[in-house]
Amino acid sequence: MNENKPFDNRWILKAKFSQLKKMQTMSDQMKGLPHPPCFKEAKGSSNIIQLPDIDENILCNNSLFQAILQRESIRSFSEGSISMEELSFLLWSTQGVRKPSAKPYIFFRTVPSAGCRHAFETYIAAHHIDGLKQGVYRYMPKEHALEHCFEDEVSKSALKDIALGQDFVGNCAVSFFWSCLPYRMEWRYHMESVKLILLDAGHVAQNLMLAAVSIHGGSCAIGAYDQELADQYLKIDGEDEFVVYMAAVGKLLNK
């Protein structure tokens, strides 16, 4: 045991399935409790914005090799806007539905998730999106649409505070927030959900970064943020739903 280690929380990173089996721990799924909703419902139909269909012709680069080669964390962006077609592609790439399954509570997405649980909701703070007014929106994967949550005219300063002084979060075309609804994963995996949710968050962010390269854009994933400010900004409760990851996306500066 290293007596100098500052925290004793490495257990979160370790798999404990065998211990749980020995403990005969039962998840809510094993208890026969109802499946939690796969998606949050919109608050009303009047604030729903349908996104354009996915069109690969908008891509500047559709080479997977080049996307992986060029992917890097970008913290300085041009003032160029992202089109609605490009935003549609970014959202679909990170949480979009590829197809439903035979089971009504399972949807196959563009990213992997433990047990196909998909515990995340995607919110965006739109700054420079052609045809979309500034504000905060939630992505609706099943409908491939946006729900307009609220307008925000001071997002730059608010986002800088949320991101602990990282001002590029507000100086981009669009800021991504991924919130987690833990019970979607806990229903099946009980105590192991923490590890699995965090693994899944990495899949989502990597897809965004590769997708951003494909539209001649850049991105930077953000793990350093103020939890309470982030949850308050999105008007979520911080217990049954809370932010777990952020990212900034924008067009590249001309070199």
Side-chain angles (χ1 to χ4, degrees), residues 34-41 105 117-118 121 181 183-184:
H35 190 287
C38 298
F39 309 100
K40 289 181 66 174
E41 295 294 329
Y105 53 84
R117 303 307 306 142
H118 297 287
E121 292 286 336
L181 283 77
Y183 186 63
R184 288 182 189 167

Side-chain angles (χ1 to χ4, degrees), residues 40-48 138 140 147-149 234-235:
K40 289 181 66 174
E41 295 294 329
K43 295 181 179 179
S45 59
S46 61
N47 55 350
I48 304 301
R138 182 178 66 87
M140 302 171 64
E147 177 186 17
H148 185 201
C149 299
L234 296 183
K235 302 180 181 180

Side-chain angles (χ1 to χ4, degrees), residues 14-253:
K14 299 179 180 180
K16 298 171 286 297
F17 286 104
S18 57
Q19 294 95 315
L20 293 174
K21 187 175 181 180
K22 291 177 182 178
M23 294 166 58
Q24 296 185 332
T25 302
M26 295 183 66
S27 66
D28 281 357
Q29 181 185 20
M30 296 170 66
K31 295 175 184 176
L33 294 179
H35 190 287
C38 298
F39 309 100
K40 289 181 66 174
E41 295 294 329
K43 295 181 179 179
S45 59
S46 61
N47 55 350
I48 304 301
I49 301 166
Q50 191 64 45
L51 287 163
D53 292 338
I54 303 303
D55 182 3
E56 64 178 321
N57 293 318
I58 68 164
L59 303 184
C60 301
N61 179 4
N62 59 6
S63 164
L64 177 60
F65 176 81
Q66 288 298 322
I68 293 174
L69 183 67
Q70 296 173 21
R71 185 221 58 78
E72 60 180 313
S73 294
I74 302 294
R75 295 176 175 84
S76 296
F77 306 98
S78 76
E79 296 181 356
S81 298
I82 286 177
S83 70
M84 283 291 282
E85 289 78 12
E86 290 170 328
L87 177 64
S88 174
F89 174 70
L90 294 176
L91 290 165
W92 175 82
S93 297
T94 55
Q95 282 283 274
V97 172
R98 292 186 296 113
K99 61 180 180 179
S101 73
K103 298 179 180 179
Y105 53 84
I106 291 181
F107 292 82
F108 298 113
R109 307 282 194 97
T110 53
V111 290
S113 176
C116 211
R117 303 307 306 142
H118 297 287
F120 304 120
E121 292 286 336
T122 302
Y123 296 82
I124 61 167
H127 310 299
H128 305 296
I129 308 294
D130 291 335
L132 189 68
K133 63 181 179 181
Q134 289 190 357
V136 174
Y137 300 81
R138 182 178 66 87
Y139 179 48
M140 302 171 64
K142 186 170 62 172
E143 297 84 359
H144 192 57
L146 290 174
E147 177 186 17
H148 185 201
C149 299
F150 57 89
E151 294 182 16
D152 180 18
E153 297 179 353
V154 292
S155 61
K156 285 189 177 183
S157 60
L159 289 168
K160 181 178 179 179
D161 290 342
I162 290 169
L164 304 176
Q166 300 177 87
D167 57 4
F168 69 89
V169 182
N171 296 323
C172 61
V174 56
S175 307
F176 278 69
F177 293 81
W178 293 291
S179 71
C180 169
L181 283 77
Y183 186 63
R184 288 182 189 167
M185 190 71 76
E186 293 164 350
W187 177 80
R188 173 168 291 176
Y189 292 114
H190 198 51
M191 293 171 57
E192 274 294 74
S193 297
V194 174
K195 176 184 174 71
L196 299 175
I197 288 169
L198 295 179
L199 289 172
D200 282 1
H203 306 324
V204 173
Q206 179 72 351
N207 263 30
L208 177 68
M209 299 187 86
L210 295 176
V213 171
S214 299
I215 62 166
H216 191 60
S219 63
C220 184
I222 301 155
Y225 59 89
D226 185 299
Q227 187 69 56
E228 291 187 0
L229 288 181
D231 295 340
Q232 290 170 6
Y233 182 74
L234 296 183
K235 302 180 181 180
I236 54 181
D237 63 25
E239 292 294 332
D240 294 321
E241 182 180 6
F242 49 87
V243 172
V244 293
Y245 217 175
M246 295 172 56
V249 180
K251 288 293 187 176
L252 297 176
L253 291 166

